[in-house]
Amino acid sequence: MRDGAYVQAVNGARLDLAAGECLALVGESGCGKSVLASALLGLLPGNAETAGSAFLGALDLLAADERTLARTVRGRRVGLVPQSPAAHLTPVRTVRSQLEETVRELNGVRRGPRLRAAAEEAAERAAFPIGHLDRHPHELSGGLAQRAATALALVGDAPLLLADEPTTGLDRDLVERTVDELRRHIGSERALLLITHDLAAAERIADRVAVMYASRIVELADAADFFGSPGPRHPYARGLLDALPEREFTPIPGMPPELGALPAGCAFAARCDRATGICGTRPALTDGVACHHPATVPLEAPRA
């Protein structure tokens, strides 16, 4: 709720994620991606309301109480790489002390050289420089703070890793190194939900892609089909790829609607050159796309 009015930040989202898989959730800022991640971990503000189910094994995350989430879910069953690492790092403690505390709590390594070595190993996994471990968060650049938060998220080897914009503030080399490490986290019993608007990072590691627009999932596709041929089927998803510099570099016209004032029909219709009268009714997600006029022509390959 905002200013006394309800805002549908996430509406009707239906996703599945199997062990061994990376699902990339992509879309413009403000479409609801990070709200979805916060809901799964019980981190929404107190005036937020949730409905539905989100099962991790037999546990419904949306129905779990705070005690269960704090003691058995966060860090142990679900690891979070936060969008704003400065808000998740304790400002008065060094990165080393926070890593050692997390290793001690999640992995049972209590003290001495083993604890120190385990903390340094966790830092190396996230490309965090050992020489900066004894610094406080305010002494770190945005990119280093992001890598510190990634290191903390990887400690527990949680079955599900939620990475919310994990490449913010990183140069391209570190983007690739970071997402490759996140991909290595996936195993026979582990999965990754990558929330990003870095489509190059998603293309590098994702198995499937979910596109969110104005609180709703508008397309679900295999990554190979989405980034290759035939390409996305929803006009908005095609617009995202066409806006990339290595493709047509053509921005999507207009602006997304406010989540507190969504239209009754297709939320993308006002920006879409395919829109007709039927778009005044809301399309269902059918065969992986929520559109009355999905694309059928293969997308052109990126320019060399």
Side-chain angles (χ1 to χ4, degrees):
M1 179 177 289
R2 181 190 300 165
D3 299 328
Y6 281 97
V7 175
Q8 295 182 333
V10 179
N11 196 335
R14 292 180 177 271
L15 298 169
D16 62 273
L17 181 56
E21 183 180 37
C22 171
L23 174 66
L25 180 60
V26 304
E28 290 171 283
S29 295
C31 68
K33 305 186 304 296
S34 295
V35 173
L36 177 60
S38 295
L40 295 177
L41 287 170
L43 298 176
L44 292 173
N47 63 347
E49 297 181 7
T50 59
S53 302
F55 283 99
L56 180 62
L59 176 66
D60 184 354
L61 296 176
L62 297 185
D65 57 31
E66 174 59 25
R67 180 183 177 90
T68 300
L69 291 169
R71 294 198 172 191
T72 67
V73 174
R74 298 181 193 131
R76 290 177 170 82
R77 299 186 67 181
V78 183
L80 173 67
V81 181
Q83 183 177 21
S84 301
H88 286 72
L89 298 171
T90 304
V92 297
R93 298 178 58 194
T94 65
V95 176
R96 183 188 298 277
S97 69
Q98 295 181 62
L99 271 174
E100 288 183 351
E101 178 185 44
T102 305
V103 169
R104 187 165 50 245
E105 181 70 21
L106 298 182
N107 294 353
V109 181
R110 294 301 173 192
R111 60 177 65 86
R114 285 186 59 212
L115 179 59
R116 184 180 182 88
E120 292 181 355
E121 180 182 351
E124 289 176 346
R125 288 181 67 184
F128 186 90
I130 302 301
H132 289 63
L133 278 174
D134 294 312
R135 295 187 178 186
H136 292 81
H138 73 273
E139 299 176 293
L140 304 176
S141 66
L144 281 177
Q146 186 69 63
R147 281 182 273 166
T150 300
L152 288 166
L154 292 173
V155 166
D157 286 324
L160 174 61
L161 186 65
L162 299 181
D164 189 2
E165 301 290 357
T167 60
T168 299
L170 304 183
D171 62 33
R172 183 49 51 185
D173 286 344
L174 282 174
V175 166
E176 294 180 356
R177 184 170 175 178
T178 298
V179 297
D180 286 349
E181 182 55 57
L182 294 175
R183 178 76 212 193
R184 280 192 287 274
H185 171 83
I186 301 173
S188 60
E189 299 180 354
R190 297 192 294 272
L192 169 64
L193 175 59
L194 174 67
I195 297 172
T196 186
H197 34 350
D198 186 338
L199 293 176
E203 183 176 11
R204 187 175 179 89
I205 68 168
D207 298 296
R208 289 188 298 137
V209 177
V211 182
M212 181 173 274
Y213 183 76
S215 83
R216 293 180 173 272
I217 303 296
V218 297
E219 183 160 0
L220 275 167
D222 288 339
D225 294 336
F226 186 87
F227 291 108
S229 182
R233 298 178 62 205
H234 195 282
Y236 170 68
R238 289 207 159 201
L240 286 179
L241 287 191
D242 284 343
L244 294 176
E246 64 270 22
R247 293 184 183 251
E248 296 183 13
F249 205 31
T250 303
I252 302 173
M255 296 292 291
E258 291 290 333
L259 296 184
L262 293 175
C266 174
F268 188 64
R271 306 173 72 185
C272 183
D273 60 5
R274 293 170 175 260
T276 63
I278 195 174
C279 299
T281 61
R282 182 176 296 163
L285 187 69
T286 304
D287 294 329
V289 62
C291 181
H292 294 297
H293 307 293
T296 57
V297 179
L299 195 65
E300 290 186 10
R303 291 177 293 183

